[in-house]
Amino acid sequence: MSIRIGILGYGNLGRGVECAVKQNEDMELAAVFTRRDPEQVQILTEGVPVCRIEDASQWKDKIDVMILCGGSATDLPVQTPEYAKMFNVVDSFDTHARIPEHFANVDESAKSGGKVAVISVGWDPGMFSLNRLYANAILPDGKDYTFWGKGVSQGHSDAVRRVEGVKDAKQYTIPVPEALEAVRNGENPELSTRDKHTRECFVVLEDGADAARVEEEIKTMPNYFSDYDTTVHFISEEELERDHSGIPHGGFVLRSGKTGWNGENSHLIEYSLKLDSNPEFTSSVLAAYARAAYRMAQEGQSGCRTVFDIAPAYLSLKSGEELRKSML
Amino acid sequence: MSIRIGILGYGNLGRGVECAVKQNEDMELAAVFTRRDPEQVQILTEGVPVCRIEDASQWKDKIDVMILCGGSATDLPVQTPEYAKMFNVVDSFDTHARIPEHFANVDESAKSGGKVAVISVGWDPGMFSLNRLYANAILPDGKDYTFWGKGVSQGHSDAVRRVEGVKDAKQYTIPVPEALEAVRNGENPELSTRDKHTRECFVVLEDGADAARVEEEIKTMPNYFSDYDTTVHFISEEELERDHSGIPHGGFVLRSGKTGWNGENSHLIEYSLKLDSNPEFTSSVLAAYARAAYRMAQEGQSGCRTVFDIAPAYLSLKSGEELRKSML
């Protein structure tokens, strides 16, 4: 029998999960839940109902894992604990600083409902976190580096759009090649925020806006841009649409460490991602962990889990025997 | 209380484990077991006994995890099942084709003794296998590539040394940069053996040996060299000692895959290692999995496990709470 997947929230991430479910032969999409008027929501999969989010509870016995595709700022802190009482759930909660609190809330709900909840699934947090953990466990005497990009940062793009006179904008985060090279060469550099990433903005101005003032306002924006070397390009709406409508991202996790009786040997572990579509990749990770959640629930487990707590074999369609034969 | 580690077999790998134990503050070295005369074996750690391998059974209650540092050809197929009856064990069995058989033997022993055994730990099998599994689970529609090197292949170096007229030799396996680039560019190339790696040999001749004949014999050696572009350099014994006494290795695991309703977006996942010392890195992975074996045994688990079956958190000295706070 297939794993029956529900999608709650149908934006870029929800649509990505829908595509991922199609790629996984042991899964089927049961229903999509939306806060919008279901009549107005057109999904890709034929014959699958779009339902009002308020009706989700009626699907308790018809969905094996509900994948929560809301945002981390306001949706998931409420939704994940709420739905973990009724469903096995997976979310992509990515506000790093608030993970301990989110974990505690979700753990309590999931245990009370006898369900499995997997939080903070994606690539960072997610695959990058896993690689930090493995590399730290293997090389206790070492130094970690994470670089993000080249990719579109949604938060920074939004910040630019809030500047007066900006009609639309996209912001790219770009790792500094020299910094990445220094890490790869085992130089163990101390890197400031400015050393690691640059920021590049493509901005469409409102009619009559003052370009110089907009540029200055962006470059000096605290937290978002003032600690970085930022470049601002003014382009037309057509150029933005033509050249910057994708949502690529990626990055690098490196650990450089020493072994030997006197630390005489150096080692470099590097993990990197180059993604055409940030939400579709995140969705693909969510789908794999939905399989894990389903299996853990079948075993009678309950409570909150993160990628750290889940044995890799749970993610794969293959049996342990097949995995040992083909991938070990 | 510290995890009491035993080392069985004191070659490059055993010495590497000794160094790794020193780096892990929750571990202590309890004893080293050797087939040689213990009087003749000098270890690095002060105050730790070197014992005859025959006396290992007397240490059943004084060792938490025995790390088996023998070879995969003849030692481990016998030793791992034998010692898994008495100890929690970790090995680095790396004959890929025989893993299913080894797993079955070790599983039976470990279950009969109520112990935990972790087999095939290291980087390939090991970290590379993990990365193949994760990447396949995330991107079901994709293609895998593994490149090894640049590094010293022990098996190929031995093969060269067996050629008549060769006094000593080192063989390096080198990934073909153009092939690696094609994969990174998402070209999904079909690569033959010859396309992926070249082989470079540094050879010291016996006095009076025929260099041309030796070179020809190496380059045409079936299985080892005939399917590769091989370069042979003749050097002096001093040069071999000076420039080629290290045991570096490394490699790349890549998966290139597509997502989207019609596979319209491409993604690249890449994991790579650059290692000064192949045995010391392998040993460091063994030590991390010894921690996992200890914890699983404490929980009352028994039987054989591979890296696929072990949740990442088991490898880390940090608690789940600390991990979520600092690494997720």
Side-chain angles (χ1 to χ4, degrees), chain A residues 228-291:
Chain A
Y228 298 86
D229 289 332
T230 303
T231 315
V232 178
H233 306 278
F234 294 103
I235 61 173
S236 69
E237 207 159 2
E238 294 68 36
E239 287 170 312
L240 190 79
E241 170 67 26
R242 188 191 66 203
D243 303 332
H244 304 283
S245 59
I247 321 175
H249 219 315
F252 305 81
V253 173
L254 305 104
R255 186 165 174 89
S256 160
K258 293 187 175 304
T259 65
W261 194 248
N262 297 304
E264 58 272 27
N265 287 310
S266 294
H267 306 275
L268 184 75
I269 305 174
E270 176 171 347
Y271 179 79
S272 69
L273 296 173
K274 207 171 91 185
L275 314 174
D276 270 1
S277 164
N278 183 355
E280 284 183 11
F281 187 82
T282 299
S283 302
S284 299
V285 184
L286 284 166
Y289 277 94
R291 178 180 293 123

Side-chain angles (χ1 to χ4, degrees), chain A residues 32-216:
Chain A
V32 170
F33 300 89
T34 178
R35 274 185 299 223
R36 291 176 275 168
D37 173 4
E39 297 287 326
Q40 304 301 315
V41 175
Q42 184 69 44
I43 68 169
L44 301 164
T45 315
E46 274 181 41
V48 168
V50 179
C51 308
R52 285 157 34 90
I53 200 168
E54 294 79 9
D55 298 337
S57 60
Q58 299 166 22
W59 287 77
K60 269 160 74 162
D61 302 323
K62 288 177 276 187
I63 284 174
D64 295 309
V65 184
M66 185 74 94
I67 302 184
L68 304 173
C69 299
S72 295
T74 55
D75 298 333
L76 298 176
V78 177
Q79 289 176 347
T80 314
E82 181 182 343
Y83 291 100
K85 289 177 191 158
M86 295 181 261
F87 296 99
N88 302 308
V89 297
V90 183
D91 83 15
S92 63
F93 185 77
D94 66 359
T95 312
H96 291 263
R98 297 187 59 194
I99 288 173
E101 174 191 346
H102 188 57
F103 183 91
N105 294 338
V106 175
D107 193 46
E108 197 187 330
S109 288
K111 279 178 179 154
S112 79
K115 300 292 180 185
V116 170
V118 188
I119 62 160
S120 299
V121 169
W123 58 276
D124 196 1
M127 298 313 296
F128 274 19
S129 323
L130 275 179
N131 276 280
R132 285 188 283 264
L133 190 162
Y134 278 118
N136 273 270
I138 294 169
L139 296 175
D141 179 12
K143 212 160 152 34
D144 290 308
Y145 297 90
T146 301
F147 292 86
W148 294 274
K150 182 181 177 175
V152 173
S153 161
Q154 214 53 57
H156 285 78
S157 298
D158 290 344
V160 174
R161 283 189 208 105
R162 285 192 297 264
V163 171
E164 205 193 310
V166 172
K167 189 169 182 187
D168 202 353
K170 275 280 176 95
Q171 192 272 174
Y172 294 89
T173 304
I174 305 168
V176 174
E178 294 76 17
L180 195 48
E181 249 355 89
V183 174
R184 285 188 181 140
N185 291 339
E187 296 168 26
N188 287 334
E190 290 294 333
L191 298 170
S192 69
T193 299
R194 193 178 297 272
D195 293 333
K196 289 178 69 186
H197 298 95
T198 52
R199 297 194 176 278
E200 192 168 20
C201 309
F202 293 86
V203 176
V204 179
L205 289 173
E206 303 271 15
D207 283 347
D210 176 351
R213 199 251 321 140
V214 167
E215 179 167 348
E216 179 66 14

Side-chain angles (χ1 to χ4, degrees), chain B residues 130-183:
Chain B
L130 275 179
N131 276 280
R132 285 188 282 262
L133 191 162
Y134 279 119
N136 272 271
I138 295 168
L139 296 175
D141 179 11
K143 212 160 151 36
D144 290 308
Y145 297 90
T146 302
F147 292 86
W148 294 274
K150 180 182 177 175
V152 174
S153 162
Q154 214 53 57
H156 285 77
S157 298
D158 289 345
V160 174
R161 281 188 210 106
R162 286 192 297 266
V163 171
E164 206 193 309
V166 172
K167 189 170 182 187
D168 203 353
K170 275 281 174 95
Q171 192 273 175
Y172 295 89
T173 304
I174 305 168
V176 174
E178 294 76 16
L180 196 46
E181 249 355 89
V183 174

Side-chain angles (χ1 to χ4, degrees), chain B residues 35-314:
Chain B
R35 273 185 300 223
R36 291 177 274 167
D37 173 5
E39 296 289 325
Q40 305 301 315
V41 175
Q42 184 68 46
I43 68 169
L44 301 164
T45 316
E46 276 181 41
V48 168
V50 179
C51 308
R52 286 158 34 90
I53 201 168
E54 293 79 11
D55 298 337
S57 62
Q58 297 165 23
W59 287 77
K60 269 160 74 164
D61 302 323
K62 288 177 274 186
I63 284 174
D64 296 310
V65 184
M66 186 73 95
I67 303 184
L68 304 173
C69 299
S72 295
T74 55
D75 298 333
L76 298 176
V78 178
Q79 289 177 347
T80 314
E82 181 183 343
Y83 291 100
K85 290 177 190 157
M86 295 182 261
F87 297 99
N88 301 308
V89 298
V90 184
D91 82 16
S92 63
F93 185 77
D94 67 358
T95 312
H96 292 262
R98 297 187 61 195
I99 287 174
E101 175 191 345
H102 189 56
F103 183 91
N105 293 338
V106 174
D107 193 46
E108 197 187 329
S109 288
K111 279 179 179 153
S112 79
K115 300 292 178 185
V116 170
V118 188
I119 62 161
S120 299
V121 170
W123 58 275
D124 196 1
M127 299 312 296
F128 274 19
S129 323
L130 275 179
N131 276 280
R132 285 188 282 262
L133 191 162
Y134 279 119
N136 272 271
I138 295 168
L139 296 175
D141 179 11
K143 212 160 151 36
D144 290 308
Y145 297 90
T146 302
F147 292 86
W148 294 274
K150 180 182 177 175
V152 174
S153 162
Q154 214 53 57
H156 285 77
S157 298
D158 289 345
V160 174
R161 281 188 210 106
R162 286 192 297 266
V163 171
E164 206 193 309
V166 172
K167 189 170 182 187
D168 203 353
K170 275 281 174 95
Q171 192 273 175
Y172 295 89
T173 304
I174 305 168
V176 174
E178 294 76 16
L180 196 46
E181 249 355 89
V183 174
R184 285 189 180 139
N185 291 339
E187 296 168 25
N188 288 334
E190 290 294 335
L191 298 171
S192 68
T193 299
R194 193 178 296 273
D195 292 334
K196 289 178 70 187
H197 298 94
T198 52
R199 299 195 176 276
E200 193 169 19
C201 308
F202 293 86
V203 175
V204 180
L205 288 173
E206 303 271 14
D207 282 345
D210 176 352
R213 200 251 320 139
V214 167
E215 179 166 349
E216 179 65 14
E217 211 165 305
I218 293 170
K219 289 185 169 178
T220 57
M221 197 186 296
N223 302 319
Y224 286 92
F225 294 100
S226 63
D227 293 337
Y228 298 86
D229 290 333
T230 302
T231 315
V232 178
H233 306 277
F234 294 102
I235 61 174
S236 68
E237 207 159 3
E238 294 68 36
E239 287 170 312
L240 190 78
E241 171 67 26
R242 187 191 67 205
D243 304 332
H244 304 284
S245 60
I247 321 175
H249 220 313
F252 304 81
V253 174
L254 305 103
R255 186 166 174 88
S256 160
K258 293 187 176 304
T259 65
W261 195 248
N262 296 304
E264 58 271 29
N265 287 310
S266 294
H267 306 275
L268 184 76
I269 304 174
E270 175 171 347
Y271 180 79
S272 70
L273 296 173
K274 207 171 91 186
L275 313 175
D276 271 2
S277 165
N278 184 354
E280 285 183 11
F281 187 82
T282 300
S283 302
S284 299
V285 184
L286 285 166
Y289 277 94
R291 178 180 292 123
Y294 173 74
R295 292 179 177 174
M296 292 188 290
Q298 293 280 99
E299 292 176 2
Q301 297 188 37
S302 69
C304 191
R305 302 284 185 277
T306 76
V307 295
F308 294 158
D309 309 309
I310 298 172
Y314 280 100

